[in-house]
């Protein structure tokens, strides 16, 4: 799935273009009991409810691909009879008319979703008639493929905040009635995956709101797929490996990490400048690791540990270099570096001023200069001595727009 695929689906989640036929759901309490089940004709819902449920569907496809939206592959055993992929295939074919299949989905989620509190499971069934497009992205009006899919959203349900409100029935200000409110989706998935404007029944597009936790148990127990880290999790693991390579020397580990990230970022920018549309997807490999370590002067035991552990930790799937770069950290480091350079420059300037003020007096040895010249660095190499008549003179070439200060007095030449 790419960004265009996501936008194409989300653009259809409007009243005038919506083709979602049915929506089923189950409200689960903190004790994992099914409190309520629903199954409705989506297009015949009350308008206010229609838009609220539509907004939930749209938010289930929100975020960054690789961080909030992951494409998962079904292992071969899950595509066999009784496998998770085959089950989802059957649920899709039922168009949500089979309560037994829906109950099985709810049970899978209740057993595999590690969440403390109440939540709502929503299942949307849609049939999208994909129109063929020309090379300039214009629709031809001819059907290219019919994409039938399920979109599952899991939303936390929490009590609204306590507060005061106007009690119209009593015409007074009093305690507001607290309601159980459905929140934005925490996790969800799209089956089959929507890849390059086409269905891929061998994959599922998985959504997670908080990229800090991919809910590996849900991926494995509910979807039957192998665990996959978000970009945030990949970066966290990589950073930990680099820092651990330096043991208790946190400062050196942090310095090495920043250096490595800068090198990786430079490679991404180079790929982008060369017109590589997939610059953000270029993966880290063994050769790149060697080059980056060498660029940053990392050798010996730390270099060996970093390379070996990274290749071992990411053996199943090497991460994109972009996922390992913390842009905020690089930005912060660049600002700190500028600040340090500025402090050095100020200190150097102060030292030079002090030297110039005291240069003519050194103990009993008094050395007086008749002429003291200060010019901008770019003019220093233009100064020369020249005999004019029988006098030796100091010559400083001047442009028309340049000013001169002699003993504190501004002068035009």
């Amino acid at each position: 799935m790419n960004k265009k695929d996501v936008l194409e689906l989300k653009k259809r989640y409007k009243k005038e273009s919506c083709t979602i036929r049915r929506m089923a759901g189950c409200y689960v309490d903190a004790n994992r009991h099914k409190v309520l089940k629903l199954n409705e004709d989506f297009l015949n819902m009350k308008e206010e409810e229609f838009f609220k449920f539509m907004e939930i569907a749209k938010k289930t496809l929100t975020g960054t691909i690789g961080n909030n939206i992951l494409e998962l592959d079904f292992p071969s055993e899950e595509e066999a009879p009784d496998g998770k992929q085959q089950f989802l295939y059957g649920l899709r074919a039922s168009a949500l008319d089979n309560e037994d299949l829906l109950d099985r989905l709810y049970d899978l989620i209740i057993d595999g979703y590690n969440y403390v509190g109440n939540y709502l499971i929503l299942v949307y069934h849609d049939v999208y008639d994909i129109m063929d497009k020309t090379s300039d992205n214009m629709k031809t009006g001819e059907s290219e493929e019919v994409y039938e899919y399920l979109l599952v959203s899991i939303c936390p349900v929490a009590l609204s905040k306590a507060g005061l409100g106007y009690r119209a029935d009593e015409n007074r200000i009093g305690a507001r009635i607290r309601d159980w409110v459905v929140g934005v989706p925490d996790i969800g998935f799209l089956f089959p995956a929507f890849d390059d404007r086409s269905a891929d029944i061998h994959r599922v597009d998985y959504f997670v709101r908080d990229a800090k936790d991919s809910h590996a148990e849900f991926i494995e127990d509910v979807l039957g797929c192998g665990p996959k880290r978000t970009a945030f999790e990949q970066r966290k693991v990589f950073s930990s490996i680099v820092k651990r390579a330096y043991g208790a020397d946190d400062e050196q580990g942090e310095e090495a990490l920043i250096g490595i990230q800068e090198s990786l970022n430079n490679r991404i920018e180079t790929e982008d400048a060369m017109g590589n549309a997939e610059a953000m997807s270029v993966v880290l490999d063994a050769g790149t690791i060697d080059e980056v370590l060498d660029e940053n002067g990392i050798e010996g035991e730390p270099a060996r540990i970093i390379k070996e552990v990274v290749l071992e930790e990411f053996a199943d799937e090497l991460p994109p270099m972009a996922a390992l770069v913390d842009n905020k950290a690089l930005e912060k480091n660049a600002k700190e570096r500028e600040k340090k350079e500025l402090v050095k420059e100020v200190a150097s300037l102060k030292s030079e001023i002090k030297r110039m003020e005291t240069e003519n007096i050194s103990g009993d040895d008094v050395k007086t200069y008749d002429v003291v010249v200060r010019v901008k660095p770019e003019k220093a190499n233009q100064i020369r001595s020249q005999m004019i008549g029988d006098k030796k003179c100091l010559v400083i070439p001047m442009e028309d727009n340049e000013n001169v200060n002699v003993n504190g007095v501004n002068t035009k030449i």
Side-chain angles (χ1 to χ4, degrees), residues 12-229:
R12 300 180 56 259
Y13 294 158
K14 300 175 183 177
K15 183 71 173 179
E16 62 274 13
S17 53
C18 177
T19 56
I20 293 177
R21 297 179 176 180
R22 201 152 199 84
M23 182 191 74
C26 178
Y27 178 42
V28 183
D29 68 16
N31 295 315
R32 301 194 172 195
H33 297 146
K34 298 174 188 174
V35 178
L36 167 74
K37 289 193 288 185
L38 57 139
N39 196 324
E40 301 185 31
D41 185 327
F42 195 72
L43 296 177
N44 288 332
M45 294 177 68
K46 293 179 181 179
E47 189 167 278
E48 186 178 357
E49 294 177 358
F50 171 89
F51 285 114
K52 295 295 183 184
F53 283 116
M54 181 62 72
E55 187 65 21
I56 289 174
K58 189 182 295 185
K59 287 185 176 178
T60 311
L61 295 175
T62 299
T64 307
I65 294 174
N67 208 32
N68 304 100
I69 300 176
L70 306 176
E71 196 162 63
L72 309 176
D73 295 298
F74 286 108
S76 56
E77 60 268 22
E78 296 297 349
E79 296 193 358
D82 294 328
K84 302 287 176 38
Q85 185 259 14
Q86 285 294 297
F87 161 65
L88 292 174
Y89 202 88
L91 182 60
R92 183 191 70 161
S94 75
L96 307 186
D97 281 337
N98 189 316
E99 286 297 329
D100 289 337
L101 290 179
L102 283 168
D103 268 326
R104 181 182 170 188
L105 175 66
Y106 302 149
D107 290 337
L108 276 173
I109 292 173
I110 291 170
D111 291 340
Y113 179 41
N114 187 15
Y115 181 78
V116 178
N118 301 1
Y119 57 90
L120 176 65
I121 304 168
L122 293 175
V123 188
Y124 302 83
H125 176 263
D126 189 14
V127 178
Y128 173 31
D129 195 6
I130 304 172
M131 292 293 112
D132 190 18
K133 289 186 178 181
T134 59
S135 57
D136 57 356
N137 214 34
M138 297 294 290
K139 292 182 180 179
T140 64
E142 296 180 3
S143 177
E144 182 178 355
E145 178 183 337
V146 175
Y147 174 53
E148 182 181 5
Y149 68 91
L150 300 174
L151 179 67
V152 177
S153 306
I154 303 175
C155 309
V157 179
L159 273 173
S160 58
K161 292 182 179 179
L164 295 174
Y166 173 62
R167 306 293 295 267
D169 55 335
E170 302 173 22
N171 192 31
R172 71 181 184 89
I173 301 298
R176 191 177 65 187
I177 297 174
R178 300 180 68 188
D179 297 319
W180 288 96
V181 180
V182 178
V184 296
D186 184 38
I187 55 177
F189 63 88
L190 180 74
F191 174 82
F194 191 55
D195 190 3
D196 196 19
R197 306 191 73 232
S198 182
D200 186 345
I201 63 171
H202 305 293
R203 291 179 174 178
V204 58
D205 291 321
Y206 173 68
F207 163 82
V208 57
R209 184 181 62 84
D210 186 358
K212 294 178 182 177
D213 183 6
S214 60
H215 288 274
E217 74 288 344
F218 188 96
I219 294 175
E220 294 184 73
D221 298 338
V222 179
L223 300 176
C225 301
K228 188 168 186 175
R229 296 186 179 107

Side-chain angles (χ1 to χ4, degrees), residues 263 267 285-297 307:
S263 295
R267 280 166 169 72
D285 56 26
T288 304
I289 295 175
D290 286 334
E291 293 171 3
V292 167
L293 293 176
D294 185 60
E295 285 173 16
N296 290 277
K307 182 177 181 180

Side-chain angles (χ1 to χ4, degrees), residues 253-324:
E254 188 66 38
E255 186 180 332
L257 177 61
I258 288 294
I260 290 172
Q261 290 185 329
E262 286 179 341
S263 295
L264 293 176
N265 195 50
N266 289 338
R267 280 166 169 72
I268 296 168
E269 290 178 348
T270 300
E271 290 286 339
D272 187 53
M274 293 172 62
N276 183 359
E278 302 297 325
M280 299 298 288
S281 302
V282 177
V283 301
L284 180 74
D285 56 26
T288 304
I289 295 175
D290 286 334
E291 293 171 3
V292 167
L293 293 176
D294 185 60
E295 285 173 16
N296 290 277
I298 301 172
E299 52 189 16
E301 189 65 5
R304 183 192 67 79
I305 292 173
I306 291 171
K307 182 177 181 180
E308 286 185 4
V309 179
V310 166
L311 292 178
E312 180 183 347
E313 190 68 36
F314 295 100
D316 293 336
E317 185 177 11
L318 290 169
M321 290 190 292
L324 308 180

